[in-house]
Amino acid sequence: MTTQPTGLTIMVIDDSSTIRRSAEIFLTQAGYRVVLAEDGFDALAKINDHQPALVFCDILMPRLDGYQTCALIKKSAKFHATPVIMLSSKDGLFDRARGAMVGSSAYLTKPFSKDSLLAAVRDHAQGQAAAA
């Protein structure tokens, strides 16, 4: 079985190295380029250089939380249309609603499976592939 590289770049922002590493393995195996960031500031420093087609963003992070990070990405004219998928260990209605308010496209509960992560990419990076 050969995986056809899509060439899409996906950013994973999470302060947990375990989560970053698993996401990186799942996404790389599926043929995506992966950019890792350990918090919101790190992500904002890297996003311009890498121009990801999709961003996975943890909610609970030090310094700049996921809601603030998502809101800043969405405020940028360049990345306004980039889908941001929130990652959280809590599966609460409040978290989902707050994520939607700052512009996130979806919500993935941790720990995620390879299938759920790749399904989220397929569902939300569709329009980005055509634009890339």
Side-chain angles (χ1 to χ4, degrees):
M1 178 180 111
T2 55
T3 315
Q4 196 59 37
T6 63
L8 282 183
T9 300
I10 297 174
M11 178 176 270
V12 178
I13 313 165
D14 201 303
D15 57 325
S16 157
S17 60
T18 309
I19 295 291
R20 284 196 313 269
R21 187 78 191 115
S22 356
E24 181 181 32
I25 291 166
F26 295 157
L27 294 166
T28 305
Q29 285 174 346
Y32 298 103
R33 286 195 303 265
V34 181
V35 179
L36 301 176
E38 46 193 71
D39 63 30
F41 286 113
D42 189 24
L44 295 170
K46 293 177 176 175
I47 196 166
N48 248 345
D49 293 341
H50 299 282
Q51 300 189 16
L54 179 70
V55 176
F56 284 101
C57 184
D58 183 25
I59 290 176
L60 294 172
M61 295 184 292
R63 302 198 303 162
L64 197 61
D65 73 20
Y67 298 122
Q68 295 165 314
T69 304
C70 179
L72 288 167
I73 292 170
K74 290 297 186 176
K75 275 187 188 135
S76 149
K78 193 172 190 178
F79 298 106
H80 178 75
T82 303
V84 177
I85 297 176
M86 304 308 281
L87 297 174
S88 177
S89 45
K90 295 186 297 195
D91 190 13
L93 191 60
F94 175 77
D95 290 327
R96 288 177 185 274
R98 190 161 171 214
M101 283 169 56
V102 293
S104 76
S105 304
Y107 190 96
L108 202 58
T109 307
K110 298 190 287 190
F112 45 77
S113 66
K114 179 177 183 174
D115 290 343
S116 64
L117 187 73
L118 296 178
V121 172
R122 276 192 305 276
D123 292 349
H124 296 281
Q126 238 61 15
Q128 300 292 319

